[in-house]
């Protein structure tokens, strides 16, 4: 028996706090269990009763004569610790605590939760909950939910399993499943997650034969890194679809750097999902749609999709949606086009979407699918629009579609309606293994999910060891630089120190020198070569331009001296109590494309790296992507390609294409640096100037874990 089996298929259960009152949760559970189909032994526990609903009732679990596989506790929270100790004494190893009144209520509740955790740990008891509905296993017919069966839908057996923090979410999920014709395997609502949570459950469902797809409702995760690992483990075996709720929670406390400010938790979750191979759904419908599509069809190996339609407009709507969903609708290869031309009426135009018009027939669909799907590997997936209102189409067309899909081994999704018969036809088609969606939007998005699944399978199989680009000795060097510069960790690195650190790990920075006075500044500029940039160096000033602390393009001594005086005046006024270490004199770098690369240490997921285009792209449009460290080459490339402004990096409208490879390597290096040096809490390389060949970091801010935030 596997670790968590007793939660899904217990042979004997106790219900502690059982009641005969069906208006109470404890009464509902007692009534539901046998009604849902539980056939094992059932022991109600409640000192107030001798019998309950025909069962002998026990004053305590200690009085139950047999072994108890699983106990469901539903009594007021303050009594739970004592009762749990009795479970320990009895040797019960698995407990669902349905009762609320724990961590979710405040400090007192948190204490109580800690107490039950400690008891359970000492006794080797596994807890699901508290504050949860528990488990439904639709195949073993086990149901601990206190939702009266007569008030909820009957949901058919199938392959979709749901893990949810929220109980109300699963209530809705359960009721909507039959409307969406989704078969359910297991549902777990783990509530406060004192012990068993999504990390273990994902591993459990990965091995569960009944589960074909795992859907998740996530507000938070137990442990970010472990979550990614278990999601990867599960995704390697079957698709995982997740909804992240609480997207706009200001998870990260006030932070001063750009990267910090842009790192809303949700962005980092997205990156974590990607790393874990998890496909994100944005709403209920998507969750059902994706889960169904992913359970029924193989994933798409690429994003080249063919749309075959009998309804021109529907094809057009799909074509409009395709690019936003990462779908390419390429034209037919010449040979295939010729073959189709010969075999279709002359007035058809052979384009993608392929509009077979309202005068088409089953036979035409058969020919087209045989040619485009079975005989030719060009398209990675096909969306078939088959509207039965077209006179020449019969239900037989779905047999044809199913047969061709199977023969080709590539994914096919159908968009169809059929008037009053809609639901019945849809059911029949889905029984043949082809998912059907009523609207073009839904069909297209499912194809997009199949493509994402293909990508994720691909990246799950790549070797993660390829992520390492900097050697250990570089990490050691970086640590030494920090130790020497800020032994007490009482301030951020100064710009020159941050740049020395970057240089030591192979990231290019402009030549620079810190001067104490005008004379030294002049001397430095002469050595570096004119023109130069001048910047204030102060641990109290993070954003130098804001206080007049940056002067650019200084061409000679006169300009240098007056810039120096003006800077000191300005800084004196705008950052009056800042300690000034000097001015940085630095080579002016050539114009190029401004990008930003940053790093944060996320409370949940640890080191994460951000990438974006500089200037308004970051500040106004928030066009950034995140990756969780360590980041390998593929992941770095994906981060770069993911931003909307990506075309600007590849030579949009005559701009010079930049060195994507160098950017990817810098992202990887920053990820390694964060991973290797715990003391760094935030990095902000803003801007980095990228060129057709190479890049240079023009501004670097490095905050250390124990620093107080800078004043300005
Ligand atoms: N060495 C340099 N060469 C060319 N431009 C520079 C240089 N240093 C700074 N800049 C420009 O000046 C801007 C502000 O400088 P930066 O060091 O980023 O200061 P801040 O602390 O205000 O972010 C940069 O965004 C960049 O456009
Ligand atoms: Mg800057």
């Amino acid at each position: 028996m596997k670790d968590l089996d007793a939660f899904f298929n217990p042979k004997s259960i106790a219900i502690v706090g059982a009641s005969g009152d069906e208006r109470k949760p404890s009464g509902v559970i007692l009534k539901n269990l046998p009604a849902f189909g539980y056939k094992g032994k059932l022991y109600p526990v409640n000192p107030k009763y001798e019998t309950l609903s025909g069962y002998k009732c026990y004053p305590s679990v200690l009085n139950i004569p047999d072994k108890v596989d699983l106990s469901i506790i539903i009594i007021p929270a303050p009594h739970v610790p004592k009762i749990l100790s009795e479970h320990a004494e009895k040797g019960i190893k698995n407990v669902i605590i349905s009762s609320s009144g724990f961590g979710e209520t405040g400090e007192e509740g948190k204490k109580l939760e800690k107490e039950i955790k400690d008891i359970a740990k000492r006794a080797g008891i596994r807890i699901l909950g508290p504050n949860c509905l528990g488990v439904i296993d639709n195949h073993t017919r086990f149901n601990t939910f206190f939702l009266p069966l007569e008030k909820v839908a009957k949901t058919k057996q199938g392959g979709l399993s749901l893990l949810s923090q929220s109980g109300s979410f699963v209530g809705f999920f359960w009721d909507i499943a039959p409307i969406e014709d989704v078969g359910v395997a297991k549902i777990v609502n783990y509530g406060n997650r004192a012990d068993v949570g999504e990390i273990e459950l994902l591993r459990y469902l990965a091995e569960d034969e009944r589960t074909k797809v795992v859907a998740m409702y996530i507000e938070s995760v137990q442990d970010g890194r472990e979550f990614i690992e278990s999601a990867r483990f599960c995704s390697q075996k079957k698709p995982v679809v997740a909804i992240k709720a609480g997207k706009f929670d200001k998870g990260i406390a006030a932070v001063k750097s750009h990267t910090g400010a842009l790192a809303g938790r949700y962005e980092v979750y997205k990156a974590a999902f990607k790393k874990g191979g998890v496909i994100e759904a944005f709403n209920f419908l998507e969750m059902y749609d994706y889960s169904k599509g992913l359970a029924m069809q193989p994933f798409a190996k690429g994003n080249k999709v063919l749309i075959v339609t009998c309804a021109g407009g529907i094809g057009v709507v799909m074509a409009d949606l395709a690019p936003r969903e990462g779908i390419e609708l390429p034209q037919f290869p010449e040979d295939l086009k010729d073959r189709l031309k010969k075999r279709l009426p002359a007035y058809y135009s052979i384009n993608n979407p392929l509009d077979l018009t309202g005068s088409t027939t089953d036979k035409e669909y058969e020919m087209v699918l045989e040619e485009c799907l079975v005989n030719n590997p060009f398209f990675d997936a096909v969306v078939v629009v088959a509207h039965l209102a077209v006179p020449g189409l019969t239900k037989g067309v779905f047999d044809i579609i199913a047969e061709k899909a199977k023969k080709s081994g590539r994914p096919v999704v159908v968009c169809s309606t059929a008037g009053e018969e809609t639901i019945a036809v849809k059911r029949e088609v889905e029984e043949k293994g082809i998912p059907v969606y009523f609207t073009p939007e839904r069909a297209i998005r499912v194809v997009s999910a199949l493509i994402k699944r293909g990508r994720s399978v691909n990246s799950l199989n790549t070797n993660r060891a390829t992520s390492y680009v900097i050697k250990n000795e570089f990490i050691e060097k970086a640590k030494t630089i920090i130790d020497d510069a800020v032994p007490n960790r009482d301030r951020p690195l100064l710009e020159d120190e941050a740049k020395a650190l970057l240089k030591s790990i192979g990231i290019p920075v402009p030549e620079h020198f810190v001067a104490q006075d005008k004379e030294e500044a002049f001397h430095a500029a002469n050595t570096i070569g004119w023109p130069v940039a001048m910047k204030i160096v102060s641990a109290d000033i993070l954003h130098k331009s804001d206080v007049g602390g940056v002067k650019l393009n200084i061409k000679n001594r006169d300009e240098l001296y007056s810039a120096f005086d003006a800077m000191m005046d300005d800084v004196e006024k705008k950052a009056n109590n800042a300690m000034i270490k000097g001015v940085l004199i630095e080579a002016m770098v050539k114009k190029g494309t401004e990008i930003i690369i940053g790093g944060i240490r996320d409370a949940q997921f640890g080191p994460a790296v951000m990438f974006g285009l500089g200037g308004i792209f970051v500040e106004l449009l928030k066009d950034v992507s995140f990756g969780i460290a360590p980041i390998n080459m593929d992941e770095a490339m994906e981060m770069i390609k993911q931003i909307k402004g990506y075309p600007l990096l590849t030579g949009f409208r005559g701009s010079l294409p930049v060195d994507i490879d160098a950017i990817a390597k810098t992202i990887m290096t920053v990820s390694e640096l964060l991973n290797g040096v715990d003391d760094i809490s935030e990095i902000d390389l803003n801007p980095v100037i990228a060129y057709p060949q190479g890049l240079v970091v023009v501004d670097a801010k490095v905050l250390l874990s124990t620093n107080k935030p800078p004043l300005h």
Side-chain angles (χ1 to χ4, degrees):
M1 202 153 112
K2 279 193 253 70
D3 270 2
L4 301 179
D5 275 348
F7 284 101
F8 299 94
N9 197 14
K11 302 283 171 280
S12 55
I13 54 178
I15 305 175
V16 180
S19 136
D21 183 350
E22 286 165 18
R23 286 162 309 176
K24 284 189 175 165
S26 50
V28 175
I29 296 175
L30 182 62
K31 189 175 173 214
N32 270 0
L33 270 162
F36 195 73
Y38 174 67
K39 297 271 186 307
K41 291 184 195 144
L42 205 163
Y43 303 106
V45 176
N46 192 333
K48 282 194 227 144
Y49 306 101
E50 291 285 317
T51 60
L52 266 177
S53 311
Y55 296 95
K56 180 173 163 45
C57 190
Y58 296 84
S60 151
V61 285
L62 292 169
N63 304 103
I64 299 173
D66 300 314
K67 181 173 176 287
V68 174
D69 283 348
L70 174 73
S71 171
I72 304 160
I73 298 180
I74 182 142
I75 55 172
H79 301 302
V80 173
K82 178 175 167 286
I83 296 294
L84 198 60
S85 302
E86 290 178 9
H87 282 64
E89 198 178 323
K90 169 78 183 157
I92 300 173
K93 294 293 180 204
N94 304 289
V95 177
I96 296 175
I97 303 179
S98 301
S99 322
S100 52
F102 290 89
E104 79 282 6
T105 57
E107 281 315 308
E108 277 303 300
K110 281 205 179 96
K111 257 194 237 153
L112 208 53
E113 196 164 315
K114 167 90 174 50
E115 205 179 323
I116 59 164
K117 259 170 138 166
D118 291 343
I119 297 168
K121 202 162 189 185
R122 277 199 302 274
I125 296 175
R126 303 307 316 269
I127 295 179
L128 191 68
N131 184 29
C132 73
L133 290 168
V135 165
I136 290 181
D137 189 318
N138 212 16
H139 291 280
T140 65
R141 306 302 294 164
F142 181 61
N143 178 351
T144 74
F145 284 24
F146 47 80
L147 311 175
L149 283 182
E150 63 279 9
K151 289 192 186 168
V152 293
K154 287 195 174 44
T155 295
K156 70 176 179 188
Q157 296 178 333
L160 175 57
S161 288
L162 173 72
L163 302 177
S164 173
Q165 249 171 308
S166 152
S168 57
F169 188 92
V170 296
F172 271 64
F173 173 87
W174 184 248
D175 270 350
I176 296 172
I179 299 171
E180 290 305 318
D181 244 324
V182 171
V184 172
K186 292 179 166 61
I187 303 182
V188 186
N189 166 223
Y190 44 83
N192 292 10
R193 194 173 45 193
D195 177 19
V196 177
E198 72 284 344
I199 290 168
E200 250 178 298
L201 288 162
L202 270 170
R203 288 185 186 269
Y204 182 81
L205 293 182
E207 311 282 6
D208 176 38
E209 276 174 22
R210 301 278 196 194
T211 300
K212 304 293 176 225
V213 178
V214 180
M216 302 183 81
Y217 167 94
I218 296 177
E219 284 170 19
S220 65
V221 293
Q222 272 166 304
D223 173 306
R225 294 280 153 160
E226 290 280 329
F227 168 74
I228 292 173
E229 286 310 314
S230 54
R232 281 182 79 93
F233 180 79
C234 193
S235 301
Q236 255 148 0
K237 301 187 187 241
K238 55 193 73 170
V240 180
V241 176
I243 291 187
K244 168 71 179 89
K247 292 188 175 63
F248 307 109
D249 183 20
K250 283 206 176 55
I252 289 182
V255 270
K256 282 216 158 186
S257 76
H258 277 299
T259 308
L262 284 163
R265 277 270 176 79
Y266 174 52
E267 296 302 325
V268 185
Y269 265 93
K270 278 174 100 77
F273 284 170
K274 209 163 239 173
K275 207 171 183 81
V278 175
I279 294 159
E280 190 183 2
F282 291 93
N283 54 46
F284 259 86
L285 273 190
E286 278 189 9
M287 184 180 67
Y288 289 112
D289 286 354
Y290 292 2
S291 302
K292 186 187 277 186
L294 289 161
M296 285 184 176
Q297 288 295 295
F299 59 79
K301 296 213 172 78
N303 72 340
K304 290 196 187 69
V305 175
L306 170 66
I307 297 171
V308 181
T309 182
C310 57
I314 300 296
V316 177
V317 171
M318 286 184 177
D320 282 347
L321 291 168
R324 214 172 59 195
E325 298 297 328
I327 293 171
E328 199 193 326
L329 300 174
Q331 287 310 328
F332 289 88
E334 282 309 316
D335 55 332
L336 185 55
K337 192 170 183 168
D338 288 345
R339 291 172 74 89
L340 291 177
K341 248 195 174 132
K342 274 189 207 122
R343 304 182 62 185
L344 286 169
Y347 56 87
Y348 282 6
S349 55
I350 313 294
N351 288 317
N352 187 9
L354 181 64
D355 184 4
L356 299 178
T357 81
S359 52
T360 190
T361 59
D362 292 1
K363 275 252 154 304
E364 274 181 7
Y365 270 72
E366 181 164 18
M367 185 279 289
V368 165
L369 292 175
E370 179 74 19
E371 287 295 347
C372 302
L373 202 55
V374 181
N375 293 342
N376 197 308
F378 182 73
F379 294 103
D380 300 306
V382 178
V383 189
V384 185
V385 183
H387 193 195
L388 286 190
V390 167
L393 290 183
T394 72
K395 280 195 212 167
V397 76
F398 296 117
D399 292 314
I400 293 167
I401 296 168
E403 186 228 311
K404 301 298 173 201
K406 212 171 207 159
K407 224 161 130 188
S408 76
R410 269 169 291 150
V412 173
V413 164
V414 164
C415 177
S416 176
T417 64
E420 295 206 331
E421 289 180 46
T422 297
I423 300 281
V425 171
K426 176 173 178 288
R427 237 167 238 166
E428 275 175 44
V429 181
E430 291 189 338
E431 252 140 50
K432 297 180 176 77
I434 304 290
V436 180
Y437 302 94
F438 294 144
T439 68
E441 298 82 10
R442 292 174 72 178
I444 277 291
R445 301 195 90 141
V446 171
V447 173
S448 154
L450 291 164
I451 293 169
K452 283 188 192 139
R453 172 71 185 151
R455 276 204 205 112
S456 117
V457 168
N458 211 0
S459 77
L460 288 167
N461 293 334
T462 57
N463 182 2
R464 290 164 100 192
T466 56
S467 58
Y468 292 92
V469 287
I470 51 175
K471 294 194 199 80
N472 237 343
E473 62 196 76
F474 284 115
I475 295 291
E476 291 312 315
K477 263 196 227 164
K479 283 183 180 162
T480 312
I481 289 177
I482 296 172
D483 278 341
D484 289 349
V486 198
N488 303 326
R489 309 289 189 265
D490 51 355
R491 61 166 174 81
L493 290 189
L494 297 169
E495 188 169 338
D496 59 311
E497 295 161 349
K499 283 181 171 163
L501 184 144
L502 295 177
K503 197 172 165 200
S504 78
I505 57 173
I507 299 178
V509 294
E511 198 183 346
H512 60 269
F513 184 81
V514 179
Q516 306 297 334
D517 54 35
K518 281 192 232 176
E519 284 308 312
E520 263 185 43
F522 177 63
H523 187 72
N526 265 338
T527 316
I528 290 167
W530 306 87
V532 291
M534 184 196 292
K535 304 186 199 178
I536 199 77
V537 180
S538 164
D540 299 323
I541 300 171
L542 200 58
H543 297 292
K544 303 175 291 286
S545 312
D546 293 355
V547 296
V550 177
K551 305 275 182 212
L552 299 175
N553 215 14
I554 301 166
K555 292 189 277 304
N556 52 47
R557 177 159 51 184
D558 287 351
E559 283 185 21
L560 182 82
Y561 280 15
S562 60
F564 190 100
D565 290 337
M567 184 178 284
M568 290 307 153
D569 269 6
D570 247 12
V571 171
E572 174 74 18
K573 269 189 233 121
K574 292 182 185 148
N576 61 6
N577 44 2
M579 288 271 296
I580 310 293
K581 188 190 161 194
V583 292
L584 186 83
I585 302 296
E586 176 174 87
M588 279 299 292
V589 309
K590 284 191 301 238
K591 285 218 168 349
T593 305
E594 281 198 10
I595 59 168
I596 161 168
I597 295 172
I600 51 150
R601 210 167 280 283
D602 181 73
Q604 292 271 14
F605 296 100
V609 179
M610 186 192 86
F611 166 73
L613 286 169
I616 60 155
F617 291 98
V618 166
E619 276 157 41
L620 183 68
L621 304 173
K622 312 264 186 281
D623 184 17
V624 295
S625 60
F626 276 86
I628 310 270
I631 295 169
N632 66 23
M633 193 61 174
D634 291 343
E635 290 169 319
M637 283 310 230
E638 219 191 306
M639 278 173 70
I640 299 169
K641 289 183 181 157
Q642 203 180 315
I643 62 164
K644 292 191 195 72
Y646 175 65
L648 289 170
L649 300 175
T650 56
F652 182 74
R653 295 222 172 144
S655 70
L656 282 177
V658 303
D659 192 340
I660 305 277
D661 204 61
I663 299 175
K665 286 205 174 108
T666 309
I667 290 173
M668 290 158 77
T669 308
V670 170
S671 114
E672 291 300 310
L673 182 65
L674 280 166
N675 233 14
V677 186
D678 289 343
D679 270 344
I680 299 176
S681 60
E682 263 179 72
I683 300 180
D684 207 38
L685 311 183
N686 179 20
V688 177
I689 313 291
Y691 301 109
Q693 246 147 34
L695 52 74
V696 57
V697 175
V698 154
D699 182 22
K701 307 189 200 303
V702 174
L703 306 192
L704 303 176
S705 311
T706 48
N707 294 164
K708 289 191 271 333
L711 295 169
H712 301 280

